[in-house]
């Protein structure tokens, strides 16, 4: 059963990777404040060795590589081969020499105990099939006293980038009842939930802060539709079940519903995440 869930999650991200690759630059721009928050809360600086878990199309690894510089290094990990390829290609394109790449899930990483100064994970822990095993593995790899920092989405209604679209879609294709603990984007939206998981995994001095930011990019409503329908596995699967007239109706309704978030300069959605940080205990 646990393996079935892990395989399902991985298959979905493997399919998504071609779109995360296609929209890499946009994703980097939209979520840049989240990479900055991780760098700040995990106290990342020049010369450090950093582990990035679930690095997707490259963030926060690519940003952190320039912060740690030539005397430091970043080890990017992700279980989806397509994501690893996208991130590696982008690092090569930028001529970054201080990133290493590994394909594999958080729950099982082939590094020695205490290998890294710090570990971070941006918008990924909610998809770990076994969160406790994943966080324990991350803590094993960090040196005693080292920070581990995670960013997760806060409540869906604080994130219209997602909620406006899902509200429209649910009217056409009713959503299945959510299992609050299943791998999904809003699995850790309840304040305190991820912090508790970190404590259970053995992290100490666990803190949580809410971060309000704006998802900004110079794109129009048409490009937003393309981005949202391609990036989300749920969205893609639901649209596949509909006839072209229904898709056209959803597209029209979504574009009308999000119009207020677009100005002459492009897209601007208010957004909200939780940044949860702990430390590995010193024994
Ligand atoms: C929403 S994306 C975030 C990617 C990137 N960190 C970012 O913020 O742009 C979630 C990522 O989690 C990865 N993921 C899924 N299951 C995972 C697991 N068990 N361990 C580590 N990463 C996982 C997916 O392959 C995907 O790349």
């Amino acid at each position: 059963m646990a393996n079935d869930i892990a395989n399902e999650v991985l298959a979905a991200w493997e399919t998504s990777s071609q779109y995360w690759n296609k929209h890499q630059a946009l994703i980097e721009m939209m979520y840049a404040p989240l990479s900055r928050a991780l760098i700040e809360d995990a106290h990342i600086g020049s010369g450090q060795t950093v582990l990035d878990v679930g690095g997707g199309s490259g963030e926060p690894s690519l940003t952190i590589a320039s912060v740690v510089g030539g005397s430091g290094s970043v080890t990017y990990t992700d279980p989806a081969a397509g994501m690893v390829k996208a991130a590696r290609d982008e690092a090569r394109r930028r001529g970054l020499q201080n990133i290493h790449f590994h394909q594999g899930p958080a729950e099982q990483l082939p590094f020695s105990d205490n290998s890294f100064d710090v570990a971070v994970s941006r918008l990924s822990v909610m998809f770990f099939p076994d969160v406790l095993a994943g966080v324990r593995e991350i803590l094993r790899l960090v040196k005693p006293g080292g920070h581990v920092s995670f960013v997760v989405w806060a409540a869906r209604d604080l994130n219209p980038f997602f909620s406006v679209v899902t509200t429209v879609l649910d009217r056409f294709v009713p959503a299945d009842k959510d299992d609050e603990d299943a791998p999904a984007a809003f699995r850790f939206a309840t304040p305190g939930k991820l912090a508790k998981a970190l404590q259970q995994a053995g992290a100490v001095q666990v803190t949580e802060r809410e971060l309000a930011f704006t998802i900004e990019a110079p794109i129009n409503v048409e490009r937003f539709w393309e981005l949202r329908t391609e990036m989300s596995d749920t969205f893609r699967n639901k649209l596949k079940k509909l006839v072209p007239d229904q898709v056209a109706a959803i597209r029209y309704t979504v574009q009308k519903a999000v119009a207020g978030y677009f100005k002459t300069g492009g897209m601007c959605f208010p957004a909200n995440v939780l940044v949860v940080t702990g430390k590995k205990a010193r024994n």
Side-chain angles (χ1 to χ4, degrees), residues 135-199:
V135 176
R136 280 195 183 120
E137 182 71 340
I138 293 169
L139 283 166
R140 177 182 74 76
L141 300 174
V142 171
K143 292 175 186 166
H147 287 90
V148 292
S149 276
F150 300 81
V151 167
V152 292
W153 291 113
R156 193 192 296 267
D157 56 4
L158 298 174
N159 286 293
F161 181 79
F162 297 98
S163 64
V164 174
V165 180
T166 38
T167 304
V168 173
L169 200 55
D170 288 353
R171 292 211 314 258
F172 288 81
V173 189
D176 297 334
K177 206 176 156 359
D178 271 354
D179 169 355
E180 287 182 0
D181 288 320
F186 294 97
R187 185 187 194 174
F188 289 114
T190 305
K193 187 174 174 187
L194 180 58
K196 194 167 159 203
L198 252 65
Q199 279 157 348

Side-chain angles (χ1 to χ4, degrees), residues 5-42:
I5 295 173
N7 290 338
E8 220 175 281
V9 172
L10 183 56
W13 281 110
E14 207 62 90
T15 310
S16 292
S17 65
Q18 60 191 294
Y19 303 111
W20 281 64
N21 188 4
K22 173 178 170 187
H23 300 297
Q24 196 280 335
L26 210 48
I27 293 169
E28 184 169 341
M29 183 184 299
M30 292 188 319
Y31 299 156
L34 309 185
S35 291
R36 287 200 291 273
L38 285 170
I39 290 164
E40 194 180 321
D41 288 25

Side-chain angles (χ1 to χ4, degrees), residues 6 9-10 13-14 20 27-28 31 34-35 52-60 76-80 83 104-107 121-130 153 231:
V9 172
L10 183 56
W13 281 110
E14 207 62 90
W20 281 64
I27 293 169
E28 184 169 341
Y31 299 156
L34 309 185
S35 291
D52 175 17
V53 183
S57 53
E59 280 296 315
Y76 160 107
T77 67
D78 197 285
M83 291 291 194
E107 293 87 340
S121 183
R122 191 183 90 166
L123 304 175
S124 297
V125 65
M126 52 279 236
F127 298 104
F128 295 0
D130 187 340
W153 291 113
M231 273 175 80

